[in-house]
Amino acid sequence: MVAHDRAGLDDPVKLLRSLFREEHGQTMALLTITLLTLIGVVAIVIDVAVFAEEKRQLQNAADAAVLAAARELPASPAAGEAAALNYLTSNGYTVSPGDVSVTITTPYAGNTEFAELVVTNHDVPYLFARVLGFISLDISARAVGEVVTGFEDDYAIFAIDNSCGAAGISIGG
């Protein structure tokens, strides 16, 4: 043993001070903290991506369902609700208490040619945030559809962007 080590054994305070002054293992501690942070960020990104994908699928199903409901309006709101539920089921969302809930409002905003559909997928599980105590999340989508009459053929037009310009959209053929 070296002389200064024996002196530290006699005085525990000096021993602790000498241990804290040493920098051995500092890189390992920094690497561990960095890796844990990186793993945490990746876990959050994966959970957010899973929820975004679920929201996209739910919105697509809601859009299709409300268009199916709107085809039956204003003649038969009950048939519109049945068609909407059928389209939701076709898109993988079976309405059952506790899992998926649906609210169909017709007439919507006082107009019998409009239908609103709100679908909520309850208890979508977290993948990685469970470690932090998060278990599940409710995801909802809302769609409003309108029946449009006066066309000889059946068309559905989806507007993704409203920057068509002065000429508008021309559909033919």
Side-chain angles (χ1 to χ4, degrees), residues 16-171:
L16 287 175
R17 282 185 188 157
S18 69
L19 287 176
F20 284 119
R21 283 186 197 145
E22 291 182 15
E23 296 182 9
H24 300 293
Q26 186 178 34
T27 303
M28 185 61 77
L30 289 174
L31 182 63
T32 302
I33 291 171
T34 303
L35 282 176
L36 288 176
T37 303
L38 182 64
I39 290 170
V41 169
V42 168
I44 289 170
V45 167
I46 290 173
D47 275 344
V48 167
V50 166
F51 291 138
E53 175 65 16
E54 177 61 27
K55 170 71 174 175
R56 186 189 64 77
Q57 289 178 0
L58 192 62
Q59 187 65 56
N60 287 344
D63 290 342
V66 81
L67 286 175
R71 288 183 59 109
E72 303 296 331
L73 297 177
S76 178
E81 289 185 22
L85 294 176
N86 185 31
Y87 268 71
L88 283 174
T89 303
S90 297
N91 282 291
Y93 294 99
T94 304
V95 179
S96 62
D99 291 333
V100 176
S101 61
V102 176
T103 304
I104 302 172
T105 305
T106 184
Y108 174 69
N111 191 336
T112 59
E113 294 183 351
F114 281 86
E116 177 194 41
L117 183 131
V118 178
V119 60
T120 304
N121 192 358
H122 300 284
D123 298 329
V124 178
Y126 282 92
L127 297 176
F128 293 101
R130 289 182 181 194
V131 174
L132 301 174
F134 296 102
I135 304 299
S136 64
L137 180 72
D138 292 348
I139 297 177
S140 294
R142 176 182 172 269
V144 176
E146 174 188 12
V147 62
V148 178
T149 58
F151 292 105
E152 292 179 16
D153 295 321
D154 295 330
Y155 292 108
I157 298 174
F158 293 94
I160 297 173
D161 188 5
N162 62 357
S163 62
C164 295
I169 299 175
S170 176
I171 300 175

